[in-house]
Amino acid sequence: MTSVTMRNHRDCNVCDELGGRVGAFATMQNTRNLSEMTVEQARDFIESFDVVLSDCDGVLWYVDRPINGAIETLKRLQDLGKRVYLVSNNSTTSFDRYNEKVRSGGLELKPEQMISPSTVIAWYLKKINFRDEAYVIASPAFRETLRDAGIRMTPENYPSVPDDDAQAIVKAVLNVRSIKAIIVDFSLECNWAKMALAISCLKNDDVLYLTGAQDDWVVCGNDKKILGPGPLINIITKQSGRTPIECAKPSNVLKEHVLELCNVKEPKRCLFIGDTILMDMKFATMSGFQKLFVETGLDTIEDAIRDDELRPDYYISGLDALRTIIDSLPSNSANQKDS
């Protein structure tokens, strides 16, 4: 009796293991590996979209180090007539610097092709006709974008507080009535005084609260990441008791901006390329875009396929592999319907 029981127990374990493998296989079947497509399937994929929206960090480069062949792939897609846009949560880099980085792969951008939290917030404030003063905790490049859009800001070094004057410190971080918007993104200069002032101002209901990138981590190489702006922004959100108007991936404000800027009529004719589940794949899902997951960044395909809602439609090891697929297609077949 004991031996039969043990055998049944082992059989159950085997069945569970096999069932798990079958389940994983079934799940993977809903996310197609571009590298395993036939020529006809690859051609159909290329013809299924007109607009390409690509993340940057972890997809095109690690900080300033290009990922092999990734930018060249976007150039190849642009040459096929696709409208290419970069959609990044990183506003610490100016447009000129972004353009300099993509030129290394032969790609040339116009300002409207670069979408980041700073450009989205500038668009949003102009859309609601905001004319008051904003207190901005963000990088110099972020502030430059707002300044170019005509947004009036509190001086960058405010508040400047002495270490040895308690009364001056308290006065400096109390509510400033002229401030009618708090805008927070990644900033190397974010400190106690700036956060305390932001929280104090947000106690007033008529003060807008807008946030850019809220990533917990920033990818800077394979298996390398550093702390992102999210944890610091969470402190302001929690202590102020306010819910921010989010303007980075994944947010409805960004979705509205992209649909308007890119003149999207059919979301399914857009391909979003990204390396994160909760940022890129989630944003693409809520926008109704096709989703291509690349394995060069923060998350793995094994993690990406676990969520039925956010699971990507396609995946590939890296964008360079997509260029190889495009170049292997018969002449003109990748853009056959335009011929």
Side-chain angles (χ1 to χ4, degrees):
M1 184 69 177
T2 302
S3 62
V4 172
T5 301
M6 291 298 293
R7 178 182 174 187
N8 287 341
H9 180 69
R10 286 195 300 270
D11 289 345
C12 287
N13 287 341
V14 171
C15 289
D16 288 344
E17 183 178 351
L18 289 174
R21 289 177 181 174
V22 170
F25 178 75
T27 299
M28 184 66 83
Q29 286 298 90
N30 294 319
T31 298
R32 305 181 66 183
N33 185 347
L34 292 183
S35 297
E36 296 178 355
M37 285 185 168
T38 65
V39 170
E40 183 177 351
Q41 289 171 334
R43 185 187 66 236
D44 290 344
F45 166 71
I46 296 297
E47 292 180 355
S48 72
F49 57 88
D50 310 304
V51 177
V52 177
L53 302 152
S54 177
D55 180 40
C56 298
D57 295 294
V59 175
L60 302 181
W61 49 66
Y62 302 124
V63 188
D64 282 329
R65 180 164 60 88
I67 295 175
N68 184 48
I71 299 171
E72 290 83 353
T73 300
L74 292 187
K75 175 63 165 60
R76 189 75 178 87
L77 288 168
Q78 186 167 265
D79 290 344
L80 290 174
K82 313 299 181 183
R83 289 187 286 133
V84 174
Y85 299 85
L86 304 188
V87 185
S88 175
N89 273 3
N90 185 353
S91 293
T92 65
T93 301
S94 67
F95 168 74
D96 289 341
R97 179 62 183 133
Y98 268 114
N99 216 7
E100 181 183 332
K101 290 168 79 169
V102 299
R103 281 197 192 108
S104 66
L107 187 64
E108 187 77 26
L109 294 176
K110 296 178 180 178
E112 61 268 22
Q113 289 176 273
M114 184 64 240
I115 302 169
S116 67
S118 60
T119 63
V120 176
I121 289 176
W123 167 84
Y124 178 81
L125 291 176
K126 293 181 74 173
K127 190 179 181 70
I128 65 172
N129 198 30
F130 179 82
R131 296 179 180 276
D132 294 304
E133 180 181 336
Y135 183 61
V136 182
I137 303 176
S139 66
F142 190 112
R143 293 177 62 89
E144 181 181 357
T145 299
L146 297 189
R147 188 178 300 109
D148 290 344
I151 306 301
R152 185 158 54 92
M153 294 176 286
T154 307
E156 186 173 4
N157 63 350
Y158 189 86
S160 177
V161 297
D163 294 334
D164 56 352
D165 189 336
Q167 288 188 347
I169 293 173
V170 171
K171 184 178 179 180
V173 300
L174 287 179
N175 173 40
V176 177
R177 284 291 177 180
S178 61
I179 294 173
K180 295 300 178 183
I182 298 296
I183 301 171
V184 191
D185 191 77
F186 182 84
S187 172
L188 293 176
E189 304 301 323
C190 183
N191 56 35
W192 175 87
K194 290 177 182 289
M195 295 172 70
L197 176 59
I199 292 167
S200 176
C201 291
L202 287 171
K203 295 300 182 180
N204 298 316
D205 292 338
D206 64 339
V207 174
L208 290 172
Y209 180 26
L210 299 98
T211 55
Q214 297 194 63
D215 307 53
D216 287 338
W217 299 100
V218 176
V219 62
C220 52
N222 284 327
D223 300 322
K224 294 180 181 179
K225 57 185 181 181
I226 57 175
L227 184 69
L232 293 178
I233 293 176
N234 289 342
I235 294 174
I236 296 175
T237 299
K238 180 180 178 180
Q239 300 305 325
S240 69
R242 295 285 299 276
T243 300
I245 299 170
E246 299 179 4
C247 299
K249 295 178 292 187
S251 71
N252 283 312
V253 173
L254 174 61
K255 172 186 173 182
E256 184 182 350
H257 178 63
V258 168
L259 294 179
E260 179 181 303
L261 175 71
C262 305
N263 193 27
V264 175
K265 304 300 183 185
E266 298 180 67
K268 274 298 180 184
R269 298 287 305 173
C270 297
L271 178 71
F272 196 97
I273 305 170
D275 68 305
T276 61
I277 303 163
L278 295 180
M279 296 292 174
D280 298 323
M281 297 301 102
K282 184 173 182 179
F283 176 68
T285 297
M286 64 190 289
S287 301
F289 302 150
Q290 294 188 65
K291 295 168 283 188
L292 172 58
F293 181 86
V294 295
E295 295 189 278
T296 48
L298 278 176
D299 296 325
T300 66
I301 185 59
E302 289 78 16
D303 291 329
I305 63 175
R306 289 191 180 119
D307 190 308
D308 288 341
E309 181 183 1
L310 305 183
R311 180 190 303 129
D313 302 297
Y314 308 95
Y315 82 96
I316 200 162
S317 58
L319 276 186
D320 190 42
L322 176 57
R323 183 179 56 155
T324 301
I325 292 171
I326 295 172
D327 291 343
S328 69
L329 296 175
S331 179
N332 296 324
S333 69
N335 213 23
Q336 195 174 52
K337 72 176 185 178
D338 293 331
S339 59

